[in-house]
Amino acid sequence: WLARPALEDLTADVHTGTGERRTVELADGSEMLLNARSTADIQFDTQRRVVRLREGELLVKIARDSSRPFFIQTDQARLHAYGNRLLLREREGQGHVVALSGALEINGQNGQRVPFDAGQEVSYDRFRFGQVQARSSGAPAWTDGLTQLRDRPLEEVIDASRPFPQGLLLLYPPA
């Protein structure tokens, strides 16, 4: 029963299981890569393009379309992508977004609005945004099947491994 996806996951337009990554080409030519245990809905029309990340993590390469803005909606925030590559993770009410190329604007439920540029990232939850920081080098490591965390509490390491099958976790001391 633990390996079976939840009914909510099965009703999503796109979903991935434990240990699965999936690339989806969107109708506008954009490309979305979903990490393990992620779910998303896609809602494109003639005026806007919206991806709703229900849970999980995605990397999106956004096709240019000057007539339709690109948004990503989550339970905690709404992102407006002005650039063409971004990384977004939202699990259990905690979010993190990285502008890999191009600018982003993130809007919270409380009306807070935070713009930031390529090479920057911010963490958030339902109530507030953290400080905009320079991008950490390990942020997109999962796209290559890796999890890279440095100087993070063990709790974060364990949480990062939850979407993957049971296995061996190797921890290396700092060089």
Side-chain angles (χ1 to χ4, degrees):
W1 285 98
L2 294 175
R4 296 182 69 192
L7 181 59
E8 180 181 298
D9 294 350
L10 295 175
T11 62
D13 292 339
V14 184
H15 66 277
T16 55
T18 300
E20 176 187 10
R21 287 188 316 264
R22 183 173 174 197
T23 300
V24 177
E25 186 168 334
L26 304 178
D28 67 342
S30 296
E31 185 177 283
M32 180 174 66
L33 174 62
L34 284 177
N35 199 2
R37 290 168 114 184
S38 297
T39 56
D41 295 316
I42 301 158
Q43 303 164 328
F44 286 13
D45 60 32
T46 57
Q47 297 182 359
R48 63 188 178 148
R49 302 170 289 167
V50 179
V51 170
R52 171 150 176 64
L53 180 64
R54 293 185 184 188
E55 179 84 2
E57 192 166 11
L58 61 78
L59 169 73
V60 66
K61 297 176 186 174
I62 302 165
R64 296 210 185 276
D65 184 341
S66 58
S67 65
R68 295 185 299 168
F70 196 100
F71 298 99
I72 300 177
Q73 181 70 50
T74 72
D75 286 343
Q76 313 306 326
R78 180 179 177 144
L79 286 86
H80 185 176
Y82 299 102
N84 66 350
R85 284 185 69 228
L86 66 94
L87 183 69
L88 174 64
R89 176 185 70 242
E90 191 169 296
R91 293 192 189 276
E92 298 177 9
Q94 301 296 310
H96 187 83
V97 62
V98 182
L100 297 170
S101 63
L104 286 174
E105 180 179 289
I106 184 168
N107 296 279
Q109 292 183 349
N110 62 0
Q112 187 179 7
R113 178 178 134 327
V114 176
F116 55 105
D117 295 318
Q120 295 182 315
E121 63 186 17
V122 68
S123 294
Y124 62 91
D125 62 24
R126 179 178 306 270
F127 305 105
R128 63 176 165 41
F129 294 116
Q131 183 130 4
V132 175
Q133 301 177 354
R135 181 187 114 178
S136 64
S137 61
W142 67 265
T143 63
D144 295 322
L146 303 172
T147 298
Q148 185 178 20
L149 299 167
R150 290 197 168 139
D151 299 323
R152 307 305 310 160
L154 182 58
E155 178 183 8
E156 285 186 35
V157 175
I158 292 168
D159 285 343
S161 67
R162 290 189 196 282
F164 300 95
Q166 291 182 356
L168 182 61
L169 179 63
L170 300 174
L171 301 175
Y172 296 99

